[in-house]
Every structure is written in structure tokens, then in C-alpha cells.
Amino acid sequence: GTKTVRACLDPTAQEVRKWCASLRRASPGRDERLLLHFNGHGVPRPTVNGEVWLFNRTFTQYHPVSILDLLSWLGTPCVLVFDCHNAGRLNEALAAMGRAGEAAPKVGHDVIVLSACAAHEELPTSPELPADLFTACLTSPLRVALSFVRRDGLVALPDELLERVPGSPSERRTPAGELNWIFTAVTDAIAWATLPRDLFRRLFRQDMLLASLCRNFLLAQRVFARYDLHPTSSPPLPEAHGHPLWGAWDLAAEAILTQLAAAAPPPSRVPSAAAGDERGASGASPEGGAGLARPGGPSCSPSPPAVPPSSFFTEQLTAFEVWLSRGAADAAAPEQLPILLQVLLSPTHRYASLLLLGRYVSLGPFAVRETLGVGIFPYVLKLLSSSPTAELSTPLLYLWAATMLYDRSTRIELLNHQAHCFFVDLLRAHHSPRRPAAPAARALSAGDSPSGGAGGPPGQQEGSLPLSAPLSSVLALFVLTEICDRLEAGQAACLKLGLERRLADVIRHLLPSTR
């Protein structure tokens, strides 16, 4: 929906109170989460009692305002961001209020707090860094992440390269979009690997604004760790600045930047310094969050340099496949599982990711729970409702059949999204095996069966899914059986589509496996 942003420069306490109340009244629902971002550079530091400093009515002196007063003005749910020295004092004050039994909202649930540093720490004051480095990490993460990649990389890259990354962060086929895509996948996977499952779902899957801030907070942890500083949060997020996936990000980003530098035009074709400065100023995008050049503006060459796609996602799919082949006996979920969610967005890798996902959910109930928890199934539901190709139909069928085998609660989601039509339409189309489905069937059966044993003839293993021909009809019938089993809503929805007529045809099928 539409986001309302109000910038309050050197405000008085009365102005802050007025605008907090106004934004809360204008929010579309009672559960709308508001964000208060306090950039406290150039004003007194927060007090140990949890107070920030605002101007009085006459702008002659600063007036302390309690963090509890700010919360009463803003209402809940909300996100509080504090970018100032000793910002952790505010986290500690809120925690102390909760322990004292004061009438404060539940911090960590109704109130999410992100602070630039611990209570005893001071922010860095290097001329090479922006004064509001924490704010830059949260609002322009790609720009900050790439600047540190360029600084620490093995290849010397020009300073102005970051101003000339073509494309937009929202366009995945451009270098800027691909970098943003990889950054999102890496931070999601790091959060998945380090956070408890319920906390991950609450912070990274229920609110897009909150998820973006928390992903960027992980970047702030990494950046500030270089200066021996520790951004704090409520609820507390574990320090993840040393996670191995950051190395994968560094490698992928440096490779793309190196290719861009190699594809850049010779110096004679580069515009004047004044034009370059003007381009950099106009290309910065606080809204896009990357601060990179946008298409349509001035550029260094008539057309963007041709840069081959990054191998990052291909490498992560390979790592996931290796885990399935060698480490699937471990109870811990593979760290690449959230990356599969991002890969599903790419038509290039979608088929391969669905095959791997089907093999993963066939490992058992724990794999289905992890897949549901990471948030992949809303994307798979969209694929079902978008008339998937014949190539994608078989892995989608196997995926849902294996899921239904271990967790029948997903049938409610299928009905809510009208996805049961996909399975009825398969029976309506034909009652024989789909020829394009054979490669997918072989690829899926090459992995472990749903019972956990090696693949083999259907029916020889307890709980195994029938992979014999006709694969499409068998899997569709299995899913429809689960949808209708003792569920009146499922039975009514399928009868409305004429399922009984389809079953009358299928029962006369020549193959016993289908009958």
C-alpha cells in the first residue's frame, strides 16, 4: 500500500507528538506497524534513564523526552530506530521498564528496537564514512555493502564504479538488480541459519518493511564489527557478521563489479567530471535503497555494458544438491533452503529448484516443516495458479504429493487459493502419462523416496509415492484424495468442478495403478 513518510527536522516535542498521533490515525488498520527513526547526530546523547533530547517551543534549549512517552504517542505495533552515540541505553531503559512492571508495551513483540551501538559505545567518526553509517546500512544497504566489497576486494576497483552500476535494484536482469537479489538471498539465509524458527517467521515473513530492516541490520552488524562496535536490537538478534555466506556474497559481488570495470568504456568516452558528479547526485535513490544509477538517466556509455549473469545461484543449487546426496541424514536444515525461495523467482532456475525442493520434502515430516517455515509455499501456490508449463507440472505435483503425505494442513491453503483446480484440470485434460513429465519423474525418483529409503519400484517401500506411469494422473488423484478426505469444504469445491465425472472416466483406465 501507500507509505506515508514525515521528515521532522529539529522538531519540538509537541511536533513529534502531533505527527505520531496523526500517522497512527491515518494508518489503515490497528495492526499497521509504524516506524520512528531517530537520527540523533549533533544533539546530546541519550540519558541512562532512557531519554532523548528534543527542542523546546522557543528552540532555545533541549528538552528530555522519555522513550516511554514516545511509545505512548506513537502507539503499537511499531519499530524504533536509534542512530546516535550510546543508543543501547534506550534498549536497556525499555527492558528495565518491562522488568519493573510499568505500563509499557511488550518490547520485542509489539515494539521492535534497532540501535546503532551498545550503551557504552560511540559511533565511528572517520572522514571516509558517512556520519549516519547505521542509517545508511538500513536505507541504502546495497551501496554500503558494495563499498566495503570494493575496499576489501583482491582486485583494485575505481572509486566511481559504484556510481555506474547499471540498472535498478527492482530489475533482477540488470547488474544492480542481480546484486540486490543476491544480497537479499544471502541475508535471508543467514537469518534462517542463526535465528529460532518462530522469531525468523515473525521478523522476516510477516511484514515486508520489518523484514527489509532486519536484513539490513545484519549488514550493519558486519560493517560495525570492523570498528569493534555492536548494534543492538530488541528482540536480540545473534551476531552473524562471521557467517560463511558473507564470503559467498563478497565473491559474487566482487565478480560482478570486476566484470563491470572490465566492460567499462575507455577514458576518452567517459563524460567530464562535472557530468559524472551530476550523475552521481541524481542517481542516488533513498527510496530504492541502493543508491545506484537508474535507467534513463545520464550514463557513461550509450548502452549498459554486457555482463554475464552471476553464477551465485547456480553454485547454491549445486551446494543444495550435494547436501541432499551426502548430508541429508542430518537433522539440521541446509542453509541454502531460503535461497531456493529466491531462485523460484527466476524462470531460468525454477525447474531445477523445484526438482531439488521435491527431493527435499520427500525426506520426511521435518523437511516439510522446514519448507513451510521458510515461506516457500506461497510462491509455489502462485505457480499453481499461473497455469504452469508441462515441464513444471510434474515437479509441482510431486512436491504437493510429498507435502500432503506428511502434513495435510496445507490442503486448506490449496483451497483458499483455488489451487485445487490445477489438479482437477490435469484429470480433465487427459488420463495418460504426460510425455514431458518423464525427465522430471526420473530426476525425482533418483533421490530418496518419501519413506527415506532408496528409490525403487512403486509399492515396495512403506509410504512411498507411486512414480510409475501415468505419473500425472496418479499424483493428481493422491492430492485430490487428501483434499476431500473428511473435509466438507474440499469435497464441495471439487464437486463444483465436476470431479465425479473425471473419476468415472479414470476408474475405467487400463492401468491398475491409476484405477
Side-chain angles (χ1 to χ4, degrees):
T2 304
K3 301 298 181 183
T4 303
V5 179
R6 175 66 185 180
C8 299
L9 306 180
D10 296 328
T12 65
Q14 291 73 21
E15 287 178 324
V16 173
R17 181 175 185 175
K18 179 184 69 173
W19 284 112
C20 285
S22 174
L23 290 175
R24 177 57 67 182
R25 288 195 301 268
S27 59
R30 298 183 60 182
D31 296 332
E32 184 78 5
R33 192 178 294 273
L34 300 186
L35 167 67
L36 175 65
H37 189 127
F38 178 75
N39 196 319
H41 297 277
V43 300
R45 305 180 183 194
T47 68
V48 293
N49 296 323
E51 297 168 320
V52 296
W53 297 89
L54 302 175
F55 277 117
N56 60 3
R57 292 179 181 270
T58 58
F59 294 92
T60 56
Q61 60 182 4
Y62 288 107
H63 178 71
V65 176
S66 170
I67 185 66
L68 197 56
D69 289 337
L70 285 177
L71 283 178
S72 65
W73 300 343
L74 189 63
T76 56
C78 64
V79 181
L80 304 178
V81 176
F82 298 109
D83 186 0
C84 57
H85 297 293
N86 308 113
R89 291 177 178 177
L90 301 169
N91 294 65
E92 293 181 355
L94 281 172
M97 292 175 186
R99 290 192 298 267
E102 298 187 24
K106 193 173 183 181
V107 179
H109 293 266
D110 300 329
V111 181
I112 308 296
V113 185
L114 305 177
S115 298
C117 59
H120 61 282
E121 294 176 342
E122 297 184 0
L123 299 179
T125 56
S126 171
E128 298 179 353
L129 301 174
D132 54 350
L133 180 59
F134 186 66
T135 296
C137 289
L138 297 184
T139 59
S140 301
L142 191 55
R143 171 72 185 200
V144 174
L146 291 180
S147 67
F148 279 87
V149 168
R150 186 197 63 79
R151 183 181 305 176
D152 301 337
L154 299 176
V155 181
L157 298 172
D159 295 340
E160 66 276 7
L161 179 62
L162 300 186
E163 303 289 347
R164 297 188 281 107
V165 179
S168 168
S170 60
E171 299 175 5
R172 290 192 298 271
R173 295 185 179 181
T174 65
E178 188 173 36
L179 284 167
N180 187 63
W181 188 20
I182 295 173
F183 177 81
T184 301
V186 166
T187 49
D188 248 18
I190 292 175
W192 169 258
T194 56
L195 294 180
R197 294 294 181 254
D198 57 341
L199 184 59
F200 174 84
R201 286 190 291 270
R202 182 156 53 88
L203 297 183
F204 288 83
R205 290 295 179 264
Q206 295 181 1
D207 187 313
M208 293 181 61
L209 169 64
L210 182 59
S212 177
L213 286 173
C214 291
R215 281 196 298 266
N216 301 343
F217 182 82
L218 296 178
L219 171 66
Q221 283 185 335
R222 190 188 191 209
V223 170
F224 278 66
R226 300 167 183 259
Y227 307 99
D228 198 23
L229 298 176
H230 308 84
T232 59
S233 65
S234 297
L237 301 182
E239 293 189 3
H241 57 82
H243 195 278
L245 276 176
W246 282 121
W249 156 254
D250 291 338
L251 179 63
E254 186 176 2
I256 294 177
L257 292 179
T258 303
Q259 292 170 347
L260 287 173
S268 59
R269 297 175 58 189
V270 178
S272 63
D277 294 340
E278 183 180 2
R279 179 188 63 251
S282 62
S285 170
E287 183 178 352
L292 303 175
R294 289 174 174 263
S299 60
C300 297
S301 59
S303 60
V307 177
S310 172
S311 60
F312 171 81
F313 289 105
T314 302
E315 294 167 354
Q316 296 303 312
L317 288 176
T318 302
F320 191 84
E321 186 173 10
V322 170
W323 184 91
L324 286 172
S325 303
R326 301 179 181 272
D330 300 336
E335 61 185 14
Q336 292 82 15
L337 187 59
I339 298 178
L340 255 68
L341 186 150
Q342 298 295 328
V343 175
L344 286 174
L345 302 177
S346 169
T348 305
H349 303 292
R350 186 171 295 157
Y351 178 70
S353 62
L354 285 174
L355 289 180
L356 293 175
L357 193 59
R359 289 177 58 185
Y360 178 66
V361 298
S362 69
L363 295 177
F366 83 95
V368 173
R369 287 195 300 269
E370 296 285 12
T371 306
L372 292 172
V374 82
I376 285 180
F377 277 99
Y379 291 84
V380 180
L381 280 172
K382 291 181 180 179
L383 290 178
L384 284 181
S385 59
S386 61
S387 301
T389 63
E391 183 184 48
L392 297 179
S393 294
T394 296
L396 282 172
L397 275 169
Y398 184 90
L399 178 61
W400 280 109
T403 302
M404 288 285 190
L405 188 63
Y406 298 115
D407 190 344
R408 303 178 71 189
S409 64
T410 54
R411 59 183 182 169
I412 304 299
E413 290 294 322
L414 284 174
L415 289 174
N416 292 339
H417 289 80
Q418 301 293 314
H420 63 286
C421 302
F422 169 79
F423 306 100
V424 177
D425 289 341
L426 283 176
L427 295 180
R428 181 182 295 116
H430 53 77
H431 311 126
S432 61
R434 285 178 174 236
R435 294 186 180 275
R442 289 194 295 269
L444 290 167
S445 60
D448 293 341
S449 70
S451 63
Q460 292 185 2
Q461 296 144 345
E462 182 180 357
S464 62
L465 286 174
L467 297 177
S468 59
L471 180 62
S472 298
S473 296
V474 170
L475 294 182
L477 286 168
F478 176 79
V479 174
L480 290 171
T481 300
E482 294 298 309
I483 291 176
C484 296
D485 185 26
R486 287 173 289 184
L487 184 63
E488 293 185 3
Q491 297 169 7
C494 291
L495 289 175
K496 187 176 180 180
L497 296 176
L499 177 60
E500 73 281 4
R501 295 191 298 273
R502 307 282 75 78
L503 295 178
D505 296 332
V506 173
I507 204 171
R508 294 191 294 268
H509 203 279
L510 296 178
L511 293 178
S513 60
T514 304
R515 297 200 302 271

